[in-house]
Amino acid sequence: EPEVTQTPSHQVTQMGQEVILRCVPISNHLYFYWYRQILGQKVEFLVSFYNNEISEKSEIFDDQFSVERPDGSNFTLKIRSTKLEDSAMYFCASSEEGEKNIQYFGAGTRLSVL
Amino acid sequence: ELKVEQNPLFLSMQEGKNYTIYCNYSTTSDRLYWYRQDPGKSLESLFVLLSNGAVKQEGRLMASLDTKARLSTLHITAAVHDLSATYFCAVDGYNFNKFYFGSGTKLNVKP
């Protein structure tokens, strides 16, 4: 069964460093998303991406964040200068066009900022 | 901003018992989703409810949607330990570009 894959599964970084989280969405999907989940809290929307541009972003998604689809398969989230409070699980999701709009989630990348 | 509230946040129950998780949301939406999350894992899609009165069942779980009341329920029948997980409901944003998630209900089914 097709699935969303994310790498790495765990990323440890020093505060102030740049990180890139990688995702390979399901191949025929057209909509891509990033969410984050701080430990023990709810899943929060960061950004959605369609047709090679951001379609919506949340207040969390400030200038330190960017997304890119560098080729036909990868979808990346970059954090330019990480802060302690960026420590969270980051989930990538994708969905196809259609009535149901089910978002399929990857297994996540746990980001630990020290 | 659209708000989604779940209750209870924690639920500890014995095997064999029935219980219901509630999900309220703050604005009109015809689509509601239920996900399951095991510790340290991703979110697994359980149900998609696309219209008022929709009811879906899978095994011991049944989900329903009342768009007029802005309420969805996830009913657990004769719980078993394998159902222990955190359950999230989510609602589409206005332009279907994002999900708003509830806080989750952490279910612990005791043998």
Side-chain angles (χ1 to χ4, degrees):
Chain A
E1 185 174 315
E3 59 180 17
V4 177
T5 56
Q6 288 185 244
T7 54
S9 56
H10 190 193
Q11 174 87 49
V12 181
T13 190
Q14 295 291 324
M15 191 169 56
Q17 294 296 304
E18 174 184 288
V19 295
I20 297 176
L21 310 183
R22 303 180 191 280
C23 170
V24 179
I26 294 172
S27 62
N28 65 330
H29 285 186
L30 300 176
Y31 298 85
F32 315 116
Y33 313 84
W34 283 100
Y35 292 83
R36 79 172 186 190
Q37 185 181 31
I38 294 171
L39 187 63
Q41 299 187 22
K42 69 177 172 183
V43 179
E44 301 173 288
F45 169 78
L46 292 177
V47 66
S48 57
F49 193 85
Y50 172 71
N51 200 25
N52 284 320
E53 60 183 24
I54 290 174
S55 43
E56 190 157 355
K57 59 184 181 179
S58 72
E59 293 173 353
I60 303 167
F61 194 88
D62 61 21
D63 292 344
Q64 293 300 313
F65 291 86
S66 63
V67 288
E68 194 177 34
R69 188 154 163 82
D71 52 42
S73 59
N74 289 286
F75 179 52
T76 62
L77 174 70
K78 182 194 289 187
I79 309 175
R80 288 189 184 80
S81 179
T82 50
K83 307 184 193 70
L84 295 176
E85 54 264 37
D86 293 328
S87 295
M89 183 74 98
Y90 288 80
F91 291 108
C92 173
S94 68
S95 65
E96 59 182 329
E97 240 169 351
E99 183 191 17
K100 290 188 177 179
N101 194 36
I102 300 173
Q103 293 185 20
Y104 294 86
F105 286 76
T109 294
R110 179 165 298 285
L111 177 64
S112 300
V113 182
L114 306 179
Chain B
E1 170 160 305
L2 195 158
K3 293 193 187 309
V4 183
E5 292 184 355
Q6 276 182 247
N7 70 85
L9 299 183
F10 298 94
L11 179 54
S12 183
M13 54 194 297
Q14 295 290 125
E15 278 193 328
K17 299 290 188 184
N18 304 333
Y19 210 84
T20 300
I21 299 170
Y22 297 88
C23 174
N24 289 90
Y25 53 96
S26 63
T27 194
T28 305
S29 178
D30 287 337
R31 306 200 298 200
L32 189 133
Y33 307 79
W34 284 97
Y35 285 85
R36 168 183 171 143
Q37 186 182 36
D38 291 293
K41 304 289 186 183
S42 184
L43 295 102
E44 174 192 352
S45 177
L46 292 176
F47 299 108
V48 182
L49 303 168
L50 296 178
S51 60
N52 186 41
V55 178
K56 294 279 183 73
Q57 182 160 7
E58 180 75 32
R60 300 174 188 274
L61 301 178
M62 183 173 72
S64 65
L65 178 62
D66 180 343
T67 58
K68 293 177 183 173
R70 299 177 188 167
L71 170 69
S72 179
T73 60
L74 180 66
H75 187 73
I76 304 153
T77 301
V80 293
H81 181 65
D82 285 353
L83 290 179
S84 297
T86 299
Y87 294 84
F88 290 94
C89 62
V91 178
D92 268 324
Y94 303 105
N95 52 7
F96 311 135
N97 273 334
K98 63 183 178 183
F99 280 177
Y100 294 86
F101 280 86
S103 298
T105 296
K106 187 170 184 179
L107 173 65
N108 178 31
V109 181
K110 295 183 282 190

